[in-house]
Coordinates of all heavy atoms in Angstrom, one line a residue:
M1 N -15.9 -10.0 -0.1 CA -15.3 -10.8 0.9 C -16.1 -12.1 1.1 O -17.3 -12.0 1.2 CB -15.1 -10.0 2.2 CG -14.4 -10.7 3.3 SD -15.3 -11.6 4.6 CE -16.7 -10.6 5.0
K2 N -15.4 -13.2 1.2 CA -16.0 -14.4 1.4 C -15.2 -15.1 2.5 O -14.0 -15.2 2.5 CB -16.0 -15.3 0.2 CG -16.7 -16.6 0.4 CD -16.7 -17.4 -0.9 CE -17.3 -18.8 -0.6 NZ -17.2 -19.7 -1.8
I3 N -15.9 -15.6 3.5 CA -15.2 -16.4 4.6 C -15.9 -17.7 4.8 O -17.1 -17.7 4.9 CB -15.1 -15.5 5.9 CG1 -14.3 -16.2 7.0 CG2 -16.5 -15.1 6.4 CD1 -13.9 -15.3 8.1
T4 N -15.1 -18.7 5.0 CA -15.7 -20.1 5.2 C -14.8 -20.8 6.2 O -13.7 -20.3 6.5 CB -15.7 -20.9 3.9 OG1 -14.3 -21.0 3.4 CG2 -16.6 -20.3 2.8
H5 N -15.3 -21.9 6.7 CA -14.5 -22.7 7.7 C -14.9 -24.2 7.5 O -15.9 -24.5 7.0 CB -14.8 -22.3 9.1 CG -16.2 -22.7 9.6 ND1 -17.3 -21.9 9.4 CD2 -16.6 -23.7 10.3 CE1 -18.3 -22.4 9.9 NE2 -18.0 -23.6 10.5
Q6 N -13.9 -25.0 7.8 CA -14.2 -26.4 7.8 C -13.2 -27.1 8.8 O -12.1 -26.6 9.1 CB -14.0 -27.1 6.4 CG -12.5 -27.1 6.0 CD -12.4 -27.8 4.6 OE1 -13.3 -27.8 3.8 NE2 -11.2 -28.4 4.4
R7 N -13.7 -28.2 9.4 CA -12.9 -28.9 10.3 C -12.3 -30.1 9.6 O -13.0 -30.9 9.0 CB -13.8 -29.4 11.5 CG -13.1 -30.0 12.6 CD -12.5 -28.9 13.5 NE -11.8 -29.5 14.7 CZ -12.0 -29.1 15.9 NH1 -12.7 -28.1 16.2 NH2 -11.3 -29.7 16.8
T8 N -10.9 -30.2 9.7 CA -10.2 -31.3 9.1 C -9.5 -32.0 10.2 O -8.5 -31.5 10.7 CB -9.2 -30.9 8.0 OG1 -10.0 -30.1 7.0 CG2 -8.6 -32.0 7.3
G9 N -9.9 -33.2 10.7 CA -9.4 -33.8 11.8 C -9.6 -32.9 13.0 O -10.7 -32.5 13.3
D10 N -8.5 -32.6 13.7 CA -8.7 -31.7 14.9 C -8.4 -30.2 14.5 O -8.4 -29.3 15.4 CB -7.9 -32.1 16.1 CG -6.4 -32.0 15.8 OD1 -5.9 -32.0 14.7 OD2 -5.6 -32.0 16.8
T11 N -8.0 -30.0 13.2 CA -7.6 -28.7 12.8 C -8.8 -27.9 12.2 O -9.6 -28.5 11.4 CB -6.5 -28.7 11.7 OG1 -5.4 -29.4 12.3 CG2 -6.1 -27.4 11.2
L12 N -9.0 -26.7 12.6 CA -10.0 -25.8 12.1 C -9.4 -24.9 11.0 O -8.4 -24.2 11.3 CB -10.6 -25.0 13.2 CG -11.7 -23.9 12.7 CD1 -12.9 -24.5 12.1 CD2 -12.1 -23.0 13.9
V13 N -9.9 -24.9 9.8 CA -9.4 -24.1 8.7 C -10.4 -23.0 8.4 O -11.5 -23.3 8.1 CB -9.1 -24.9 7.4 CG1 -8.6 -24.0 6.3 CG2 -8.1 -26.0 7.7
I14 N -9.9 -21.8 8.5 CA -10.8 -20.6 8.2 C -10.2 -20.0 7.0 O -9.0 -19.6 7.0 CB -10.8 -19.6 9.4 CG1 -11.4 -20.3 10.7 CG2 -11.7 -18.4 9.0 CD1 -11.3 -19.4 11.9
A15 N -11.0 -19.8 5.9 CA -10.5 -19.3 4.7 C -11.2 -17.9 4.4 O -12.4 -17.8 4.5 CB -10.8 -20.3 3.5
V16 N -10.3 -17.0 4.0 CA -10.8 -15.6 3.7 C -10.5 -15.4 2.2 O -9.3 -15.6 1.8 CB -10.2 -14.5 4.5 CG1 -10.7 -13.2 4.1 CG2 -10.5 -14.8 6.0
A17 N -11.5 -15.0 1.4 CA -11.2 -14.8 0.0 C -11.7 -13.4 -0.4 O -12.4 -12.7 0.3 CB -12.0 -15.8 -0.9
D18 N -11.2 -13.0 -1.6 CA -11.5 -11.7 -2.2 C -10.7 -10.5 -1.5 O -9.5 -10.5 -1.6 CB -13.0 -11.4 -2.3 CG -13.7 -12.5 -3.1 OD1 -13.1 -12.9 -4.1 OD2 -14.8 -12.8 -2.8
E19 N -11.4 -9.7 -0.8 CA -10.8 -8.5 -0.2 C -10.9 -8.5 1.3 O -11.9 -8.9 1.9 CB -11.4 -7.2 -0.7 CG -11.2 -7.1 -2.2 CD -11.6 -5.7 -2.7 OE1 -11.9 -4.8 -1.9 OE2 -11.5 -5.5 -4.0
L20 N -9.9 -8.0 2.0 CA -9.9 -7.8 3.4 C -9.4 -6.4 3.7 O -8.2 -6.1 3.7 CB -8.9 -8.8 4.1 CG -9.1 -9.1 5.6 CD1 -8.2 -10.2 6.1 CD2 -8.9 -7.8 6.5
G21 N -10.4 -5.5 3.9 CA -10.1 -4.1 4.2 C -10.8 -3.7 5.5 O -11.4 -4.6 6.2
H22 N -10.9 -2.4 5.8 CA -11.5 -1.9 7.0 C -12.9 -2.4 7.2 O -13.3 -2.8 8.3 CB -11.5 -0.4 6.9 CG -12.2 0.2 8.1 ND1 -11.7 0.2 9.4 CD2 -13.4 0.9 8.1 CE1 -12.6 0.9 10.1 NE2 -13.6 1.2 9.4
H23 N -13.7 -2.4 6.1 CA -15.1 -2.8 6.2 C -15.3 -4.3 6.5 O -16.2 -4.7 7.2 CB -15.9 -2.4 5.0 CG -15.9 -0.9 4.8 ND1 -16.7 0.0 5.6 CD2 -15.3 -0.1 3.9 CE1 -16.5 1.2 5.2 NE2 -15.7 1.2 4.2
E24 N -14.4 -5.1 6.0 CA -14.5 -6.5 6.1 C -13.9 -7.0 7.4 O -14.3 -8.1 8.0 CB -13.8 -7.2 5.0 CG -14.5 -7.0 3.6 CD -14.0 -5.8 2.9 OE1 -13.0 -5.1 3.4 OE2 -14.6 -5.4 1.9
A25 N -13.0 -6.3 8.0 CA -12.2 -6.7 9.2 C -13.2 -7.0 10.4 O -13.0 -8.1 11.0 CB -11.2 -5.7 9.6
R26 N -14.1 -6.2 10.7 CA -15.0 -6.4 11.8 C -15.8 -7.6 11.6 O -16.0 -8.4 12.5 CB -15.9 -5.1 12.0 CG -16.8 -5.2 13.2 CD -16.1 -5.0 14.5 NE -15.9 -6.2 15.2 CZ -15.0 -6.4 16.2 NH1 -14.2 -5.4 16.6 NH2 -14.9 -7.6 16.8
E27 N -16.3 -7.8 10.4 CA -17.2 -9.0 10.1 C -16.4 -10.3 10.3 O -16.9 -11.2 10.8 CB -17.7 -8.8 8.7 CG -18.7 -9.9 8.3 CD -19.2 -9.8 6.9 OE1 -19.2 -8.6 6.3 OE2 -19.7 -10.8 6.4
I28 N -15.1 -10.2 9.8 CA -14.3 -11.4 9.9 C -13.9 -11.7 11.3 O -14.0 -12.9 11.8 CB -13.0 -11.2 9.1 CG1 -13.3 -11.2 7.6 CG2 -12.0 -12.3 9.4 CD1 -12.2 -10.7 6.7
I29 N -13.6 -10.7 12.1 CA -13.3 -10.9 13.5 C -14.5 -11.5 14.3 O -14.4 -12.5 15.1 CB -12.8 -9.6 14.2 CG1 -11.4 -9.3 13.7 CG2 -12.8 -9.7 15.7 CD1 -10.9 -7.9 14.0
D30 N -15.7 -11.0 14.0 CA -16.9 -11.5 14.6 C -17.2 -13.0 14.2 O -17.5 -13.8 15.0 CB -18.1 -10.6 14.3 CG -18.1 -9.3 14.9 OD1 -17.3 -9.1 15.9 OD2 -18.8 -8.4 14.5
Y31 N -17.0 -13.2 12.9 CA -17.2 -14.6 12.4 C -16.2 -15.6 13.1 O -16.6 -16.6 13.5 CB -17.0 -14.6 10.9 CG -17.1 -15.9 10.2 CD1 -18.4 -16.3 9.6 CD2 -16.1 -16.8 10.1 CE1 -18.5 -17.5 9.0 CE2 -16.2 -18.1 9.5 CZ -17.4 -18.4 8.9 OH -17.6 -19.6 8.3
M32 N -15.0 -15.2 13.2 CA -14.0 -16.1 13.8 C -14.3 -16.3 15.2 O -14.1 -17.4 15.7 CB -12.6 -15.5 13.6 CG -12.1 -15.6 12.1 SD -10.4 -15.2 11.8 CE -10.2 -13.6 12.5
G33 N -14.8 -15.3 15.9 CA -15.2 -15.5 17.3 C -16.3 -16.6 17.5 O -16.2 -17.4 18.4
T34 N -17.2 -16.5 16.6 CA -18.3 -17.5 16.6 C -17.8 -18.9 16.3 O -18.2 -19.8 17.0 CB -19.4 -17.0 15.6 OG1 -19.9 -15.8 16.0 CG2 -20.6 -18.1 15.6
V35 N -17.0 -19.0 15.3 CA -16.5 -20.3 14.9 C -15.6 -20.9 15.9 O -15.7 -22.1 16.2 CB -15.7 -20.2 13.5 CG1 -15.0 -21.4 13.2 CG2 -16.7 -19.8 12.4
L36 N -14.8 -20.1 16.6 CA -13.9 -20.6 17.7 C -14.7 -21.1 18.8 O -14.3 -22.1 19.5 CB -12.9 -19.5 18.1 CG -11.9 -19.1 17.1 CD1 -11.0 -18.0 17.7 CD2 -11.0 -20.2 16.7
A37 N -15.9 -20.5 19.1 CA -16.8 -20.9 20.2 C -17.4 -22.3 19.8 O -17.6 -23.1 20.6 CB -17.8 -19.9 20.5
L38 N -17.7 -22.5 18.5 CA -18.3 -23.7 18.0 C -17.3 -24.9 18.0 O -17.7 -26.0 18.2 CB -18.8 -23.5 16.6 CG -20.1 -22.7 16.5 CD1 -20.4 -22.5 15.0 CD2 -21.3 -23.3 17.2
Y39 N -16.0 -24.6 17.8 CA -15.0 -25.6 17.7 C -13.9 -25.2 18.7 O -12.9 -24.5 18.3 CB -14.4 -25.6 16.3 CG -15.4 -26.0 15.3 CD1 -16.0 -25.0 14.5 CD2 -15.8 -27.3 15.0 CE1 -16.9 -25.3 13.5 CE2 -16.8 -27.6 14.1 CZ -17.3 -26.6 13.3 OH -18.3 -26.9 12.4
P40 N -14.0 -25.5 20.0 CA -13.2 -24.9 21.0 C -11.8 -25.6 21.2 O -11.0 -25.1 21.9 CB -14.0 -25.2 22.3 CG -14.9 -26.3 22.0 CD -15.2 -26.2 20.5
G41 N -11.4 -26.6 20.4 CA -10.1 -27.2 20.6 C -9.4 -27.4 19.3 O -10.0 -27.3 18.2
G42 N -8.1 -27.6 19.4 CA -7.3 -27.9 18.3 C -6.7 -26.7 17.6 O -7.0 -25.5 17.9
P43 N -5.7 -26.9 16.7 CA -5.0 -25.8 16.0 C -6.0 -25.1 15.0 O -6.9 -25.7 14.6 CB -3.8 -26.5 15.4 CG -4.2 -27.9 15.2 CD -5.2 -28.2 16.4
V44 N -5.6 -23.9 14.6 CA -6.3 -23.2 13.6 C -5.4 -22.8 12.5 O -4.3 -22.3 12.7 CB -7.0 -21.9 14.2 CG1 -7.7 -21.1 13.2 CG2 -8.0 -22.3 15.3
V45 N -5.9 -22.9 11.3 CA -5.2 -22.5 10.1 C -6.0 -21.4 9.5 O -7.2 -21.6 9.2 CB -5.0 -23.6 9.0 CG1 -4.4 -23.1 7.7 CG2 -4.0 -24.7 9.6
L46 N -5.4 -20.2 9.2 CA -6.1 -19.1 8.5 C -5.6 -19.2 7.1 O -4.4 -18.9 6.8 CB -5.8 -17.8 9.2 CG -6.4 -16.5 8.5 CD1 -7.9 -16.7 8.5 CD2 -6.0 -15.3 9.2
D47 N -6.4 -19.5 6.1 CA -6.0 -19.7 4.7 C -6.4 -18.4 4.0 O -7.5 -18.0 3.8 CB -6.8 -20.9 4.1 CG -6.3 -21.2 2.7 OD1 -5.7 -20.4 2.1 OD2 -6.6 -22.3 2.3
L48 N -5.3 -17.8 3.5 CA -5.5 -16.5 2.7 C -5.2 -16.7 1.3 O -5.0 -15.7 0.5 CB -4.6 -15.4 3.3 CG -4.8 -15.1 4.8 CD1 -3.8 -14.0 5.3 CD2 -6.2 -14.7 5.1
S49 N -5.1 -17.9 0.8 CA -4.6 -18.2 -0.6 C -5.6 -17.6 -1.7 O -5.1 -17.3 -2.8 CB -4.4 -19.7 -0.8 OG -5.6 -20.4 -0.6
A50 N -6.8 -17.3 -1.3 CA -7.7 -16.7 -2.3 C -7.9 -15.2 -2.1 O -8.8 -14.6 -2.7 CB -9.1 -17.5 -2.3
L51 N -7.1 -14.6 -1.3 CA -7.2 -13.2 -1.0 C -6.6 -12.4 -2.2 O -5.6 -12.7 -2.7 CB -6.4 -12.9 0.2 CG -6.7 -11.6 1.0 CD1 -8.1 -11.7 1.5 CD2 -5.7 -11.5 2.2
K52 N -7.4 -11.4 -2.7 CA -7.0 -10.6 -3.8 C -6.4 -9.3 -3.4 O -5.6 -8.7 -4.1 CB -8.2 -10.4 -4.7 CG -8.6 -11.7 -5.4 CD -9.8 -11.5 -6.3 CE -10.3 -12.8 -6.8 NZ -11.6 -12.7 -7.3
F53 N -6.9 -8.8 -2.2 CA -6.4 -7.5 -1.7 C -6.5 -7.5 -0.2 O -7.5 -8.0 0.4 CB -7.2 -6.3 -2.2 CG -6.9 -5.0 -1.5 CD1 -5.7 -4.3 -1.9 CD2 -7.7 -4.5 -0.5 CE1 -5.4 -3.1 -1.2 CE2 -7.4 -3.4 0.1 CZ -6.2 -2.7 -0.2
M54 N -5.5 -6.9 0.5 CA -5.6 -6.7 1.9 C -4.9 -5.4 2.3 O -3.8 -5.2 1.8 CB -4.9 -7.9 2.7 CG -5.0 -7.8 4.2 SD -4.0 -9.0 5.0 CE -2.4 -8.0 5.1
D55 N -5.5 -4.6 3.2 CA -4.8 -3.5 3.7 C -4.4 -3.8 5.1 O -4.4 -4.9 5.6 CB -5.6 -2.2 3.5 CG -6.9 -2.2 4.4 OD1 -7.0 -3.0 5.3 OD2 -7.8 -1.3 4.2
S56 N -4.0 -2.7 5.8 CA -3.4 -2.9 7.2 C -4.5 -3.5 8.2 O -4.2 -4.0 9.2 CB -2.8 -1.7 7.7 OG -3.8 -0.6 7.8
S57 N -5.8 -3.5 7.8 CA -6.8 -4.1 8.6 C -6.6 -5.5 8.8 O -7.0 -6.1 9.8 CB -8.2 -3.8 8.0 OG -8.4 -2.4 7.9
G58 N -5.9 -6.2 7.9 CA -5.6 -7.6 8.0 C -4.7 -7.9 9.2 O -4.8 -9.0 9.8
L59 N -3.9 -6.9 9.6 CA -3.1 -7.1 10.8 C -3.9 -7.2 12.0 O -3.7 -8.1 12.8 CB -2.1 -5.8 10.9 CG -1.1 -5.6 9.9 CD1 -0.5 -4.2 10.1 CD2 -0.1 -6.7 9.9
A60 N -5.0 -6.4 12.1 CA -5.9 -6.5 13.2 C -6.6 -7.8 13.3 O -6.7 -8.4 14.3 CB -6.9 -5.4 13.2
V61 N -7.0 -8.3 12.1 CA -7.7 -9.6 12.0 C -6.7 -10.8 12.5 O -7.1 -11.6 13.4 CB -8.1 -9.9 10.6 CG1 -8.6 -11.4 10.4 CG2 -9.3 -9.0 10.2
V62 N -5.5 -10.8 12.0 CA -4.6 -11.9 12.4 C -4.2 -11.7 13.9 O -4.1 -12.7 14.6 CB -3.4 -11.9 11.5 CG1 -2.3 -12.9 12.0 CG2 -3.8 -12.3 10.1
L63 N -3.9 -10.5 14.3 CA -3.5 -10.4 15.7 C -4.6 -10.7 16.7 O -4.4 -11.3 17.7 CB -3.0 -8.9 16.0 CG -1.6 -8.7 15.5 CD1 -1.3 -7.2 15.6 CD2 -0.6 -9.5 16.2
N64 N -5.9 -10.3 16.3 CA -7.0 -10.7 17.1 C -7.2 -12.2 17.3 O -7.4 -12.7 18.4 CB -8.3 -10.0 16.5 CG -9.5 -10.3 17.4 OD1 -10.1 -11.4 17.3 ND2 -9.9 -9.3 18.1
L65 N -7.1 -12.9 16.1 CA -7.2 -14.3 16.1 C -6.0 -14.9 16.9 O -6.2 -15.9 17.8 CB -7.2 -14.9 14.7 CG -7.3 -16.4 14.5 CD1 -8.5 -16.9 15.2 CD2 -7.3 -16.7 13.0
H66 N -4.8 -14.5 16.7 CA -3.6 -15.0 17.5 C -3.8 -14.8 19.0 O -3.6 -15.8 19.7 CB -2.4 -14.2 17.0 CG -1.2 -14.5 17.8 ND1 -0.5 -15.7 17.7 CD2 -0.5 -13.7 18.6 CE1 0.5 -15.7 18.5 NE2 0.6 -14.5 19.1
R67 N -4.3 -13.7 19.4 CA -4.5 -13.5 20.9 C -5.5 -14.4 21.4 O -5.4 -14.9 22.5 CB -4.8 -12.0 21.1 CG -3.6 -11.1 20.9 CD -3.9 -9.6 21.2 NE -2.8 -8.8 20.8 CZ -2.9 -7.7 20.1 NH1 -4.1 -7.3 19.7 NH2 -1.8 -7.0 19.9
A68 N -6.7 -14.5 20.7 CA -7.8 -15.4 21.2 C -7.3 -16.8 21.3 O -7.6 -17.5 22.3 CB -8.9 -15.3 20.2
L69 N -6.5 -17.2 20.3 CA -6.0 -18.6 20.4 C -5.0 -18.8 21.5 O -4.9 -19.9 22.1 CB -5.4 -19.0 19.0 CG -6.5 -19.1 17.9 CD1 -5.8 -19.3 16.6 CD2 -7.5 -20.2 18.2
L70 N -4.1 -17.8 21.7 CA -3.1 -17.9 22.8 C -3.8 -18.1 24.1 O -3.4 -18.9 25.0 CB -2.2 -16.7 22.8 CG -1.0 -16.7 22.0 CD1 -0.2 -15.4 22.2 CD2 -0.1 -17.8 22.3
R71 N -4.9 -17.3 24.4 CA -5.6 -17.3 25.6 C -6.2 -18.7 25.8 O -6.4 -19.2 26.9 CB -6.7 -16.3 25.7 CG -6.2 -14.9 25.9 CD -7.4 -13.9 26.2 NE -8.3 -13.8 25.1 CZ -8.2 -12.9 24.1 NH1 -7.2 -12.1 24.0 NH2 -9.1 -12.9 23.1
A72 N -6.6 -19.4 24.7 CA -7.2 -20.7 24.8 C -6.2 -21.8 24.7 O -6.6 -23.0 24.7 CB -8.2 -20.8 23.6
G73 N -4.9 -21.5 24.6 CA -3.9 -22.6 24.5 C -3.8 -23.3 23.2 O -3.4 -24.4 23.1
R74 N -4.3 -22.6 22.1 CA -4.3 -23.1 20.8 C -3.3 -22.5 19.9 O -2.8 -21.4 20.2 CB -5.7 -23.0 20.2 CG -6.8 -23.7 21.0 CD -8.2 -23.3 20.6 NE -8.5 -23.9 19.3 CZ -9.7 -23.7 18.7 NH1 -10.6 -23.0 19.3 NH2 -9.9 -24.3 17.5
S75 N -3.0 -23.1 18.8 CA -2.0 -22.5 17.9 C -2.6 -22.0 16.6 O -3.7 -22.4 16.2 CB -0.9 -23.6 17.5 OG -1.5 -24.6 16.8
L76 N -1.9 -21.1 15.9 CA -2.3 -20.5 14.7 C -1.2 -20.6 13.6 O -0.1 -20.4 13.9 CB -2.7 -19.0 14.9 CG -2.9 -18.2 13.6 CD1 -4.2 -18.7 12.9 CD2 -3.1 -16.7 13.9
C77 N -1.6 -20.9 12.4 CA -0.8 -20.9 11.3 C -1.5 -20.2 10.2 O -2.7 -20.5 9.9 CB -0.4 -22.3 10.8 SG 0.6 -22.3 9.3
V78 N -0.9 -19.2 9.5 CA -1.4 -18.5 8.4 C -0.9 -19.1 7.2 O 0.4 -19.1 7.0 CB -1.1 -16.9 8.5 CG1 -1.8 -16.2 7.3 CG2 -1.6 -16.4 9.8
R79 N -1.7 -19.5 6.3 CA -1.3 -20.3 5.1 C -1.6 -19.5 3.8 O -2.7 -18.9 3.7 CB -2.0 -21.6 5.1 CG -1.7 -22.5 3.9 CD -2.6 -23.7 3.8 NE -2.3 -24.6 5.0 CZ -3.2 -25.5 5.4 NH1 -4.4 -25.6 4.8 NH2 -2.9 -26.2 6.5
G80 N -0.8 -19.7 2.8 CA -1.0 -19.2 1.4 C -1.2 -17.7 1.3 O -1.9 -17.2 0.4
T81 N -0.4 -16.9 2.1 CA -0.5 -15.5 2.0 C 0.0 -15.0 0.7 O 1.1 -15.2 0.3 CB 0.2 -14.8 3.2 OG1 -0.2 -15.5 4.4 CG2 0.0 -13.4 3.3
P82 N -0.8 -14.2 -0.1 CA -0.4 -13.6 -1.3 C 0.7 -12.6 -1.1 O 0.8 -12.0 0.0 CB -1.6 -12.9 -1.9 CG -2.8 -13.5 -1.1 CD -2.2 -13.9 0.2
P83 N 1.6 -12.3 -2.1 CA 2.7 -11.4 -1.9 C 2.4 -10.0 -1.4 O 3.0 -9.5 -0.5 CB 3.3 -11.4 -3.3 CG 2.9 -12.6 -4.0 CD 1.6 -13.0 -3.4
Q84 N 1.3 -9.4 -1.9 CA 0.9 -8.1 -1.4 C 0.6 -8.1 0.0 O 1.0 -7.2 0.8 CB -0.3 -7.6 -2.3 CG -0.8 -6.2 -1.9 CD -1.8 -6.2 -0.8 OE1 -2.6 -7.1 -0.7 NE2 -1.8 -5.1 0.0
A85 N -0.2 -9.1 0.5 CA -0.6 -9.2 1.9 C 0.7 -9.5 2.7 O 0.8 -9.0 3.8 CB -1.7 -10.2 2.1
M86 N 1.5 -10.3 2.2 CA 2.7 -10.7 3.0 C 3.6 -9.5 3.2 O 4.2 -9.4 4.3 CB 3.5 -11.8 2.3 CG 4.5 -12.5 3.1 SD 3.7 -13.4 4.5 CE 5.1 -13.5 5.7
R87 N 3.7 -8.6 2.3 CA 4.5 -7.3 2.5 C 3.9 -6.5 3.6 O 4.7 -5.9 4.4 CB 4.5 -6.5 1.2 CG 5.4 -7.1 0.1 CD 5.7 -6.2 -1.0 NE 4.5 -5.9 -1.8 CZ 4.0 -6.7 -2.8 NH1 4.7 -7.8 -3.1 NH2 2.9 -6.4 -3.5
V88 N 2.6 -6.5 3.8 CA 2.0 -5.8 4.9 C 2.3 -6.5 6.2 O 2.7 -5.8 7.2 CB 0.4 -5.7 4.7 CG1 -0.2 -5.1 6.0 CG2 0.0 -5.0 3.5
F89 N 2.3 -7.8 6.3 CA 2.6 -8.5 7.5 C 4.1 -8.3 7.8 O 4.5 -8.2 9.0 CB 2.3 -10.0 7.3 CG 0.8 -10.3 7.3 CD1 0.3 -11.2 6.3 CD2 -0.1 -9.7 8.2 CE1 -1.0 -11.5 6.3 CE2 -1.4 -10.0 8.1 CZ -1.9 -10.9 7.2
Q90 N 4.9 -8.4 6.8 CA 6.4 -8.2 7.0 C 6.7 -6.8 7.5 O 7.6 -6.7 8.4 CB 7.2 -8.6 5.8 CG 7.2 -10.1 5.5 CD 7.8 -10.4 4.1 OE1 7.7 -9.7 3.2 NE2 8.3 -11.6 4.1
A91 N 6.1 -5.8 7.0 CA 6.3 -4.5 7.4 C 6.0 -4.3 8.9 O 6.6 -3.5 9.6 CB 5.5 -3.5 6.6
A92 N 5.0 -5.0 9.4 CA 4.7 -5.0 10.8 C 5.4 -6.0 11.6 O 5.1 -6.1 12.8 CB 3.2 -5.2 10.9
N93 N 6.3 -6.7 11.0 CA 7.1 -7.8 11.7 C 6.3 -8.9 12.3 O 6.7 -9.6 13.2 CB 7.9 -7.1 12.8 CG 9.4 -7.4 12.7 OD1 9.9 -8.0 11.8 ND2 10.2 -6.9 13.7
L94 N 5.1 -9.1 11.7 CA 4.2 -10.1 12.2 C 4.8 -11.6 12.1 O 4.5 -12.4 13.0 CB 2.8 -10.0 11.5 CG 1.7 -10.6 12.3 CD1 1.5 -10.0 13.7 CD2 0.4 -10.5 11.5
P95 N 5.6 -11.9 11.1 CA 6.1 -13.3 11.0 C 7.0 -13.7 12.2 O 7.3 -14.8 12.3 CB 6.9 -13.3 9.7 CG 6.2 -12.2 8.8 CD 5.8 -11.2 9.8
H96 N 7.4 -12.7 13.0 CA 8.2 -13.0 14.2 C 7.3 -13.4 15.4 O 7.7 -13.9 16.4 CB 9.0 -11.8 14.6 CG 10.1 -11.5 13.6 ND1 11.2 -12.3 13.5 CD2 10.2 -10.6 12.7 CE1 12.0 -11.9 12.5 NE2 11.4 -10.8 12.0
I97 N 5.9 -13.2 15.2 CA 5.0 -13.5 16.2 C 4.1 -14.6 15.9 O 3.8 -15.5 16.7 CB 4.1 -12.2 16.5 CG1 5.0 -11.0 16.9 CG2 3.0 -12.5 17.5 CD1 4.3 -9.7 17.0
V98 N 3.7 -14.7 14.6 CA 2.7 -15.7 14.1 C 3.4 -16.6 13.1 O 4.3 -16.1 12.3 CB 1.5 -15.0 13.5 CG1 0.5 -16.0 12.9 CG2 0.8 -14.1 14.5
T99 N 3.1 -17.8 13.0 CA 3.6 -18.8 12.1 C 3.0 -18.6 10.7 O 1.7 -18.6 10.6 CB 3.4 -20.2 12.5 OG1 4.1 -20.4 13.8 CG2 4.0 -21.2 11.5
F100 N 3.8 -18.4 9.7 CA 3.3 -18.2 8.3 C 3.8 -19.4 7.5 O 5.0 -19.7 7.6 CB 3.7 -16.9 7.6 CG 3.0 -15.7 8.1 CD1 3.3 -15.1 9.3 CD2 1.9 -15.2 7.3 CE1 2.5 -14.0 9.7 CE2 1.2 -14.1 7.8 CZ 1.5 -13.5 9.0
E101 N 2.9 -20.0 6.7 CA 3.3 -21.2 5.9 C 3.0 -20.7 4.4 O 1.9 -20.4 4.1 CB 2.4 -22.4 6.2 CG 2.7 -23.6 5.4 CD 1.7 -24.7 5.8 OE1 1.7 -25.2 6.9 OE2 0.8 -25.0 4.9
M102 N 4.1 -20.7 3.6 CA 3.9 -20.2 2.3 C 3.4 -21.3 1.4 O 3.5 -22.5 1.7 CB 5.2 -19.7 1.7 CG 5.8 -18.5 2.6 SD 4.6 -17.2 3.0 CE 4.4 -16.5 1.5
G103 N 2.7 -20.9 0.3 CA 2.2 -21.8 -0.6 C 0.7 -22.2 -0.3 O 0.1 -21.7 0.6
E104 N 0.2 -23.2 -1.0 CA -1.2 -23.7 -0.8 C -1.3 -24.5 0.5 O -0.4 -25.3 0.8 CB -1.7 -24.5 -2.0 CG -1.8 -23.6 -3.2 CD -2.9 -22.6 -3.2 OE1 -4.0 -22.9 -2.7 OE2 -2.7 -21.5 -3.7

């Protein structure tokens, strides 16, 4: 698992690459909490375009981020979700709660 972030204008982009499973989920949630504290304003994009595998732990990661941003009055967009991961999100009806942007 690799996680990075960058600020583009007022938008914070957090990118997760490789695998997102049970073991990685806690680390990603902690990382995102730290980054959100460093960059307290503006929208957030979660870029999953380099994700190779995700299990249902990815639901917890996205929901945790979504809730933290809602409390702060910020928005979330999930970008570039691979087909396998998107099936997990769709099975949980997450696209009705969180904005998903397909493609890069």
Side-chain angles (χ1 to χ4, degrees):
M1 185 262 320
K2 181 179 176 186
I3 184 167
T4 59
H5 70 277
Q6 71 177 28
R7 188 80 180 225
T8 305
D10 68 339
T11 301
L12 175 64
V13 179
I14 301 172
V16 178
D18 299 326
E19 296 189 6
L20 197 173
H22 173 73
H23 296 291
E24 295 84 12
R26 182 78 254 161
E27 184 179 341
I28 292 169
I29 289 170
D30 291 344
Y31 179 94
M32 289 189 303
T34 300
V35 170
L36 293 178
L38 290 173
Y39 303 98
V44 175
V45 172
L46 180 60
D47 185 343
L48 301 179
S49 60
L51 202 61
K52 295 178 183 160
F53 170 79
M54 185 193 84
D55 66 14
S56 61
S57 300
L59 295 170
V61 168
V62 173
L63 284 172
N64 183 282
L65 180 57
H66 172 69
R67 288 180 186 134
L69 292 171
L70 271 180
R71 285 190 299 272
R74 298 170 72 181
S75 64
L76 171 64
C77 176
V78 181
R79 177 187 299 158
T81 308
Q84 179 271 331
M86 195 64 202
R87 286 190 294 275
V88 173
F89 291 135
Q90 287 172 331
N93 236 3
L94 203 58
H96 293 286
I97 300 168
V98 176
T99 301
F100 283 81
E101 179 183 294
M102 301 313 290
E104 295 290 322

